[in-house]
Amino acid sequence: MRVLTISGIFAVDEAASPGKEIVYGLTSTTRLLVVSLIKSNLFPILSLMLDSTVIAPFLGMHSWFLDEHSRSLFKKAHSLNFWEMPEQDDAYNQILNNAMVSDSNFLTDIILRECGDVFLGINSLIDVGGGQGGAARAIAIAFPQMKCTVLDLPHVIAEAPSDVHVSFISGDMFKYIPPANALFLKWVFHDWGDEDCVKLLKNCKEAIPPRDAGGKVIIVDMVVGSGLNEIVTRETHVLYDLFIMCVEGIEREEFEWKRIFMEAGFGDYKIISVLGVRSVIELYP
């Protein structure tokens, strides 16, 4: 308990009487993991991060650095990439889906409260790679006039619950994105290298109308160096950049985002830093 207290997992109740048994309590961080204390708890995210499937690749990092073949840490450990694994392992697929729903439930409430005006005037929205529809559902409830659809791979859509607010489409975002007034991509681009991101962005551009007709892409992702100038923010940015390399992903600084935006043919963008370590980016054709 002393180790967990020093680590910030628990706190000592200072009001306890001297000489009596120490009483421990939750911190503001660990309260986020308790189901009964918070509606959108983050325990499923932690479960994914600590799952042996995710941890195992890092145990072979030393040999990965010496490997002349170009493949991700994850694929080196499992012979499957991060997105192939859920198709082969139902238990891992469920853990991953639960984690993404948890993140969407937690983060979308903040987005709608802090910068919900990014959704004003949108008649139709597709949540690209939207999993089981957690984010799309919250957006649809907040903006009932908006038609919200989720696009994701077949094995993800197969697990999605029926919902009166959201419709689901099975498909591959790298092959085709159905037309909509706006597209929403949360925590998608950091999973992919620049070449794949440009390909995805070009598909996005084809799916939306021109800017003067209301077309735009709404991205929720990290912008390294953006947000609060605090050590915990900077540390999270760089440590997550290290973590995401497991799947050959990357966390980008603004100039790196701008490069892939311009290469994909987009004309302008705006970064809104209101989500702590993540930002909202409005991208215009």
Side-chain angles (χ1 to χ4, degrees):
M1 291 301 293
R2 286 195 294 266
V3 171
L4 294 173
T5 302
I6 291 296
S7 302
I9 304 301
F10 291 103
V12 175
D13 185 355
E14 300 294 346
S17 301
K20 291 191 175 182
E21 186 176 359
I22 297 175
V23 177
Y24 297 93
L26 298 172
T27 65
S28 57
T29 299
T30 47
R31 283 178 178 273
L32 297 174
L33 305 177
V34 181
V35 177
S36 61
L37 294 181
I38 182 170
K39 181 184 72 172
S40 305
N41 80 92
L42 298 179
F43 178 74
I45 291 282
L46 186 61
S47 297
L48 174 65
M49 296 295 188
L50 298 180
D51 187 77
S52 59
T53 305
V54 174
I55 292 176
F58 291 100
L59 302 180
M61 184 180 289
H62 62 290
S63 62
W64 176 75
F65 273 117
L66 300 175
D67 194 344
E68 295 181 2
H69 303 287
S70 178
R71 56 177 175 169
S72 69
L73 266 170
F74 194 94
K75 190 165 187 176
K76 182 175 176 62
H78 300 297
S79 300
L80 297 168
N81 69 35
F82 188 78
W83 307 112
E84 293 168 339
M85 179 64 79
E87 297 184 64
Q88 305 296 323
D89 188 328
D90 290 338
Y92 178 69
N93 183 47
Q94 191 61 55
I95 291 173
L96 179 61
N97 287 338
N98 289 343
M100 294 303 99
V101 169
S102 169
D103 181 69
S104 292
N105 290 342
F106 180 79
L107 194 65
T108 308
D109 285 346
I110 301 173
I111 294 172
L112 292 171
R113 182 174 66 248
E114 299 294 336
C115 54
D117 55 351
V118 300
F119 299 104
L120 291 175
I122 297 175
N123 297 318
S124 62
L125 178 141
I126 292 180
D127 186 353
V128 180
Q132 297 189 356
R137 185 178 302 108
I139 295 168
I141 292 173
F143 297 91
Q145 81 287 351
M146 189 188 307
K147 178 185 177 183
C148 289
T149 305
V150 173
L151 173 71
D152 216 313
L153 296 170
H155 68 272
V156 178
I157 298 300
E159 300 293 328
S162 59
D163 194 292
V164 297
H165 301 288
V166 178
S167 58
F168 293 86
I169 298 176
S170 173
D172 185 339
M173 62 187 181
F174 287 106
K175 294 181 180 178
Y176 174 72
I177 298 175
N181 193 223
L183 304 178
F184 182 75
L185 296 97
K186 180 187 72 66
W187 239 5
V188 172
F189 288 101
H190 77 156
D191 294 322
W192 305 94
D194 287 358
E195 184 177 342
D196 286 322
C197 285
V198 170
K199 181 178 181 180
L200 175 55
L201 283 165
K202 287 181 177 180
N203 287 348
C204 290
K205 190 170 184 291
E206 291 181 1
I208 59 174
R211 181 174 184 173
D212 57 9
K216 66 177 176 179
V217 179
I218 303 168
I219 299 169
V220 178
D221 227 313
M222 286 188 184
V223 179
V224 176
S226 184
L228 296 175
N229 188 24
E230 297 178 352
I231 185 60
V232 66
T233 302
R234 300 292 175 257
E235 185 179 50
T236 303
H237 280 163
V238 296
L239 287 177
Y240 213 92
D241 191 24
L242 182 67
F243 172 80
I244 205 67
M245 79 175 189
C246 176
V247 297
E248 293 187 309
I250 182 174
E251 303 298 351
R252 296 174 170 88
E253 296 185 47
E254 182 177 352
F255 79 91
E256 294 171 301
W257 280 108
K258 183 177 181 179
R259 184 171 59 215
I260 63 173
F261 291 160
M262 298 302 111
E263 188 173 341
F266 284 86
D268 195 15
Y269 67 92
K270 179 171 69 173
I271 296 174
I272 308 170
S273 301
V274 295
L275 304 178
V277 298
R278 281 183 277 183
S279 300
V280 174
I281 306 173
E282 289 183 281
L283 180 60
Y284 303 101

